[in-house]
Amino acid sequence: MDATLLRHARSYARNYHEEEVRLLSKLAAIPSPTHHEGRREAFIADWLRRQGAKDVRIDEQGNVLCLLRGRHPRKDGKPRDVAVFSAHTDIVFPDTDPLPVRIEHGRMMAPGVGDDTANLVALMAATRHLLHDEGAYDRATRDVDILVVADTCEEGLGNLAGTRALFEGLRDKGRHVRSFCSFDLYLSQCISHAVGSERFRIRVKTQGGHSYQNFGRPNAVEVLCQVIEALYAIELPVDPDTGAKTTINVGHMEGGGTVNSIASQAGALFEFRSESAANLKRMEGLFRAALDSCRRDGVDIEVETIGVRPGNGPVDARRLAALAKRSADTIRSVTGRDVDASPASTDANIPLSLGIPSICVGAVRGSLLHTRDEWVDLASLEDGLALVLSLMLQASDAL
């Protein structure tokens, strides 16, 4: 990585640190459940406009889009390529009241503060610098337009709806995306291989009845337990070519009524994941077979698909490797640490499935994500902002 560029990014990150902490504290307090991110959307759009952004809008899905246009059009008159940088606005908690935020011993604690609020704030702060520094703006947009996105519906059953809508919109406008970078998770993660997943709602229905008078009729709760036992008895596929594993999870159960009633209904949420498309295809059949093994007279088992996250598609291997290397080299230069390239499921799944070179990079240190005790190390914000800004400054560099 260019040493002058890194010094420039570090200087800004150091000078802006206190303001970044204040911005994080404000944004972390704004509730933002999946599908209900409106208050954060409005805050972010207004904040970007106050920094001088001229082209900011909120699309129908709720994504905040900030376009930084290069000053020099292409000589052939065609639209410039786009480099997309994103972070998601939603958190896993359903709260609609302001979220509790506190700072103790150099840590900020709040629900969702690391996943993904701190990463989002780093993206906002880096965008601010491009808007305020003409030289940095021109370097970043020398050969591409930069689209900064605060996207919705990354968590849980959001099913990556924000990023799906983003790429549908770019396709409809005929914009060619050169690269995509999502900021999520922790330093020093650098993810270029997507973990695909399929998610289902399983419902078991029976006639039910009185616990004594009708004893012996199928009990929906007991049948659901049989279903779960059958699922966990599956010999999970392993890709013979890559060694990729498959994982499963039952994340929620409900059902029944009173203690003296045979349960007439019960349900569960189930998912399986793998970075191997072959594993996912094989798992689909094993999943259906496990359900079939539990069907019998008086028992109705229904399945509803509630989410599909695709894995890597036909991405140009050379260009993806170049993007991953550039990102990894930048991470090492900023942090001095080895890179964790383990595959994961992130917003980058969507562009990777479409064949677009894409990466997901963490920009904060912390722990306990998806718990109400989540925290981030405030000192790490400096490294995170320097990293995000460095990657944006390299957006026009060839892959």
Side-chain angles (χ1 to χ4, degrees):
M1 177 182 174
D2 181 83
T4 301
L5 183 151
L6 179 57
R7 284 195 299 271
H8 178 93
R10 279 200 179 283
S11 176
Y12 173 66
R14 183 170 54 252
N15 293 334
Y16 193 67
H17 179 73
E18 291 184 7
E19 183 60 34
E20 186 181 8
V21 172
R22 286 192 289 270
L23 178 59
L24 176 57
S25 183
K26 290 178 182 178
L27 195 63
I30 301 173
S32 194
T34 304
H35 296 296
H36 301 282
E37 302 95 331
R39 278 176 278 184
R40 282 200 184 186
E41 295 162 12
F43 177 93
I44 294 165
D46 179 66
W47 187 89
L48 288 168
R49 292 184 183 110
R50 286 189 284 110
Q51 307 312 310
K54 304 298 184 185
D55 191 341
V56 179
R57 66 184 182 89
I58 300 175
D59 68 14
E60 293 182 0
Q61 178 59 43
N63 298 316
V64 182
L65 309 177
C66 176
L67 182 61
L68 307 181
R69 300 177 186 274
R71 303 183 200 277
H72 304 292
R74 286 174 48 147
K75 293 180 180 179
D76 60 9
K78 295 181 180 179
R80 289 160 58 95
D81 288 353
V82 180
V84 180
F85 293 90
S86 79
H88 65 86
T89 56
D90 59 323
I91 64 173
V92 298
F93 301 98
D95 305 51
T96 56
D97 293 329
L99 297 165
V101 179
R102 68 184 193 277
I103 297 176
E104 295 177 4
H105 309 298
R107 294 177 174 180
M108 182 179 293
M109 287 153 278
V113 67
D115 184 16
D116 193 32
T117 313
N119 286 287
L120 176 56
V121 164
L123 176 59
M124 293 166 64
T127 303
R128 173 191 179 275
H129 180 65
L130 298 185
L131 291 167
H132 289 195
D133 187 303
E134 186 172 310
Y137 186 102
D138 286 343
R139 189 194 198 288
T141 61
R142 181 180 68 253
D143 194 44
V144 295
D145 290 344
I146 288 180
L147 181 61
V148 177
V149 184
D151 65 88
T152 64
C153 295
E154 193 277 341
E155 296 287 5
L157 298 181
N159 203 31
L160 306 183
T163 304
R164 292 177 194 273
L166 168 68
F167 280 91
E168 288 172 3
L170 289 168
R171 178 201 62 203
D172 292 345
K173 291 180 178 175
R175 298 304 300 266
H176 177 261
V177 179
R178 179 179 297 184
S179 63
F180 174 91
C181 180
S182 173
F183 297 106
D184 201 350
L185 305 173
Y186 295 124
L187 290 162
S188 300
Q189 289 179 274
C190 183
I191 301 154
S192 59
H193 293 282
V195 174
S197 65
E198 296 187 29
R199 294 170 173 174
F200 305 90
R201 179 176 285 108
I202 303 169
R203 293 188 179 94
V204 177
K205 297 179 180 180
T206 64
Q207 183 179 10
H210 191 278
S211 62
Y212 185 80
Q213 299 295 336
N214 303 120
F215 181 72
R217 287 182 183 173
N219 183 306
V221 170
E222 191 259 345
V223 174
L224 179 63
C225 291
Q226 292 178 4
V227 168
I228 293 171
E229 185 176 9
L231 292 173
Y232 275 86
I234 292 172
E235 184 176 348
L236 300 177
V238 176
D239 192 306
D241 297 323
T242 66
K245 66 180 182 180
T246 304
T247 66
I248 64 173
N249 187 59
V250 174
H252 177 77
M253 293 175 62
E254 61 185 3
T258 64
V259 70
N260 59 338
S261 298
I262 297 171
S264 62
Q265 53 79 33
L269 299 181
F270 174 73
E271 71 162 16
F272 52 81
R273 297 187 182 211
S274 182
E275 61 178 295
S276 163
N279 284 358
L280 294 174
K281 185 176 181 179
R282 172 69 176 146
M283 190 63 206
E284 173 74 21
L286 294 170
F287 168 60
R288 301 289 177 178
L291 296 182
D292 288 344
S293 72
C294 299
R295 289 189 164 94
R296 61 182 188 270
D297 290 344
V299 173
D300 182 22
I301 300 176
E302 300 176 352
V303 180
E304 175 190 2
T305 301
I306 57 175
V308 176
R309 291 190 176 203
N312 282 34
V315 186
D316 184 302
R318 184 195 62 79
R319 296 182 66 231
L320 179 59
L323 178 63
K325 183 180 185 303
R326 183 168 78 194
S327 302
D329 288 346
T330 304
I331 291 169
R332 292 189 190 96
S333 296
V334 170
T335 68
R337 298 189 178 189
D338 290 336
V339 169
D340 178 2
S342 303
S345 178
T346 69
D347 275 318
N349 284 41
I350 298 301
L352 282 169
S353 75
L354 298 173
I356 297 168
S358 303
I359 202 85
C360 179
V361 172
V364 67
R365 295 188 184 94
S367 188
L368 301 180
L369 77 168
H370 289 200
T371 75
R372 291 187 177 273
D373 297 316
E374 184 176 7
W375 59 269
V376 296
D377 176 5
L378 292 176
S380 73
L381 298 186
E382 187 174 319
D383 273 356
L385 177 50
L387 172 61
V388 173
L389 179 55
S390 295
L391 291 173
M392 296 180 78
L393 288 170
Q394 297 174 82
S396 285
D397 294 354
L399 291 179

